[in-house]
C-alpha cells in the first residue's frame, strides 16, 4: 500500500477494532469481538490505514502482528477509550452533581483569602459531594491555564477580553504603615507622601496596579524590597523597615504593629470569575458559575437594603 497523508479521520469503530486485534489470534476473530463480519473487518482495517496514510497490520506475519507504526499508535488509541470512559463518568456525575472535582484558579491572596471562600462554602452546601481545589498562580499564568484548558474557571483581575466573565468583588489599594509612623495619624494618605520612606513592593497579584498608581501621578517610590509573600511584607512594615501599598482584600482585618489607610489618589480593581465560554462548561463548572451569579446578586441586594435603612 502506498504511503500518503490521511484524508479522513479514523472512526471509533475502526480504533476499537485495532484494540481488539491486540488480544486476538486473527483478523476475523478480532472483528467478531466487535460484531463485524470478516469482509466488514477487512474493509474497516483498510479504511483505517487509508485514513492514517500508513500500514498498521503486518500482513506477512503469522497470526496478528502490528507494524512499527501500529505499535506506536496503540497507546494513543487506548488513551482515546480511557478519555471516552472519563466523558461518560463525568456526564453521569454531572447529571446529578453528587460527585466530581472542580479545580479553580486564583490570581492571588485577595481572591484566595476573601473572595472565593464564601462562594465555595455556598457551593459546597448545595453540592457537598463535589471536591473543590483552588490553585493560586500569578494572574498571567492563571489566564494561560484557562486558555490551555488546564482549568475551566478562575478568579482573576478584570477586564479580560478573551474570556466570559462576571464580577465577584471590587478591591482597592491602601497604604500599609508602621503603627507609629507619622502618616498613620492621617485618615487618608497622599500618595506623594509614600515616596520618602524605603518602599516594599509586592511581587504578587497587585504589583502592576501599584506600579501604575505611582507612575500615573509621576511619582517613583524608593523600592528597597520586592517580595512575593504578604506576611513577609507585613512583618517588615511592622518592624519599621519600610512602608508598602497593598490590595485591601489581600490584607487581614488587622496586623500587629501596622495600620492600613486609604490613599489619595487611590485606585481600585475588579476581581471576577472567568471562563473561556460559559455555554460550554462541564456540569460541575456550570453549577459553580451559576452559584457565583446568585451569590453576587444576593450581595448587591443586601447592599441595597443597607442603603435604604440608613
Amino acid at each position: 500500500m502506498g504511503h500518503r497523508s490521511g484524508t479522513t479521520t479514523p472512526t471509533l469503530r475502526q480504533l476499537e477494532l485495532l484494540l481488539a486485534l491486540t488480544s486476538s489470534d486473527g483478523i476475523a476473530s478480532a472483528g467478531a469481538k466487535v460484531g463485524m463480519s470478516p469482509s466488514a473487518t477487512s474493509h474497516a482495517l483498510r479504511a483505517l490505514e487509508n485514513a492514517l496514510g500508513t500500514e498498521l497490520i503486518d500482513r506477512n506475519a503469522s497470526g496478528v502482528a502490528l507494524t512499527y507504526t501500529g505499535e506506536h499508535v496503540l497507546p494513543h488509541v487506548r488513551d482515546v477509550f480511557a478519555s471516552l470512559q472519563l466523558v461518560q463518568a463525568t456526564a453521569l456525575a454531572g447529571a446529578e452533581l453528587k460527585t466530581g472535582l472542580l479545580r479553580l484558579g486564583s490570581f492571588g491572596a485577595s481572591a484566595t483569602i476573601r473572595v472565593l471562600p464564601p462562594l465555595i462554602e455556598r457551593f459546597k452546601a448545595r453540592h457537598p459531594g463535589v471536591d473543590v481545589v483552588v490553585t493560586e498562580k500569578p494572574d498571567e499564568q492563571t489566564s494561560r491555564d484557562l486558555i490551555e484548558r488546564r482549568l475551566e474557571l478562575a478568579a482573576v483581575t478584570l477586564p479580560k477580553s478573551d474570556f466570559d466573565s462576571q464580577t465577584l468583588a471590587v478591591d482597592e489599594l491602601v497604604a500599609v504603615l508602621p503603627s507609629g509612623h507619622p502618616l498613620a495619624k492621617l485618615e487618608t494618605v497622599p500618595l506623594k507622601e509614600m515616596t520618602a520612606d524605603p518602599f516594599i513592593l509586592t511581587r504578587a497579584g497587585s504589583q502592576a496596579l501599584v506600579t501604575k498608581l505611582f507612575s500615573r501621578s509621576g511619582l517613583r517610590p524608593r523600592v528597597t524590597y520586592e517580595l512575593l509573600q504578604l506576611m513577609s511584607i507585613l512583618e517588615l512594615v511592622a518592624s519599621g523597615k519600610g512602608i508598602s501599598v497593598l490590595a485591601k482584600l489581600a490584607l487581614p482585618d488587622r496586623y500587629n504593629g501596622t495600620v492600613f489607610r486609604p490613599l489619595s489618589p487611590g485606585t481600585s480593581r475588579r476581581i471576577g470569575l472567568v471562563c473561556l465560554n460559559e455555554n460550554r462548561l462541564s456540569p460541575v463548572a456550570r453549577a459553580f458559575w451559576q452559584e457565583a451569579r446568585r451569590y453576587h446578586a444576593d450581595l448587591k441586594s443586601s447592599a441595597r437594603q443597607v442603603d435604604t435603612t440608613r
Side-chain angles (χ1 to χ4, degrees):
M1 188 177 83
H3 290 253
R4 59 187 183 78
S5 59
T7 53
T8 54
T9 304
T11 66
L12 287 173
R13 197 95 171 100
Q14 291 162 358
L15 295 178
E16 192 180 15
L17 176 59
L18 186 63
L19 270 190
L21 275 167
T22 62
S23 58
S24 305
D25 55 9
I27 289 174
S29 65
K33 273 185 184 173
V34 295
M36 285 185 182
S37 67
S39 64
T41 302
S42 180
H43 178 75
L45 280 176
R46 284 286 178 201
L48 176 60
E49 289 177 323
N50 280 333
L52 296 175
T54 185
E55 289 185 353
L56 301 173
I57 309 299
D58 184 353
R59 287 169 175 81
N60 298 320
S62 59
V64 177
L66 297 181
T67 62
Y68 178 83
T69 305
E71 291 287 358
H72 281 74
V73 161
L74 202 60
H76 301 296
V77 175
R78 288 197 178 101
D79 286 346
V80 166
F81 286 96
S83 295
L84 271 179
Q85 287 175 333
L86 198 58
V87 166
Q88 289 170 322
T90 306
L92 203 61
E96 297 180 357
L97 280 179
K98 286 187 174 162
T99 62
L101 173 67
L102 176 64
R103 292 187 186 280
L104 288 176
S106 169
F107 77 98
S110 296
T112 310
I113 297 168
R114 295 299 181 100
V115 178
L116 287 174
L119 180 50
I120 292 169
E121 201 177 312
R122 273 178 59 130
F123 177 77
K124 289 285 289 176
R126 203 181 283 261
H127 306 290
V130 177
D131 292 322
V132 181
V133 177
V134 178
T135 305
E136 191 180 285
K137 292 182 187 178
D139 201 276
E140 199 178 305
Q141 277 178 264
T142 299
S143 298
R144 201 178 308 127
D145 281 349
L146 284 160
I147 290 165
E148 292 172 4
R149 311 295 201 281
R150 281 189 285 273
L151 293 169
E152 281 192 273
L153 298 175
V156 295
T157 57
L158 299 178
K160 288 277 189 292
S161 56
D162 296 342
F163 301 108
D164 286 344
S165 65
Q166 50 174 308
T167 301
L168 294 177
V170 178
D171 200 0
E172 62 176 329
L173 293 181
V174 294
V176 180
L177 307 159
S179 305
H181 197 281
L183 295 177
K185 297 185 181 77
L186 303 177
E187 272 187 33
T188 301
V189 176
L191 190 65
K192 63 176 184 295
E193 301 290 338
M194 297 288 291
T195 55
D197 289 67
F199 191 84
I200 305 161
L201 179 65
T202 175
R203 294 193 62 208
S206 55
Q207 181 181 7
L209 199 65
V210 173
T211 309
K212 217 176 283 176
L213 175 64
F214 280 100
S215 64
R216 260 206 312 260
S217 298
L219 299 168
R220 184 177 290 180
R222 285 176 48 209
V223 177
T224 51
Y225 291 91
E226 287 190 27
L227 302 177
L228 191 58
Q229 297 298 328
L230 177 73
M231 299 314 279
S232 305
I233 297 172
L234 291 173
E235 270 303 304
L236 284 174
V237 172
S239 61
K241 299 290 190 300
I243 61 177
S244 189
V245 170
L246 294 170
K248 190 177 181 180
L249 286 177
L251 294 166
D253 291 331
R254 62 185 64 81
Y255 192 85
N256 230 11
T258 67
V259 294
F260 312 138
R261 294 285 181 265
L263 286 161
S264 173
T267 192
S268 63
R269 63 176 176 187
R270 283 187 302 135
I271 295 171
L273 190 67
V274 298
C275 65
L276 277 175
N277 182 343
E278 65 175 295
N279 298 315
R280 297 188 64 185
L281 291 171
S282 69
V284 172
R286 187 184 303 114
F288 192 86
W289 184 264
Q290 288 165 344
E291 192 60 57
R293 190 156 275 159
R294 279 192 295 269
Y295 173 62
H296 195 59
D298 289 351
L299 282 181
K300 276 163 91 172
S301 103
S302 59
R304 276 198 299 270
Q305 283 168 2
V306 169
D307 281 349
T308 56
T309 55
R310 276 179 182 164

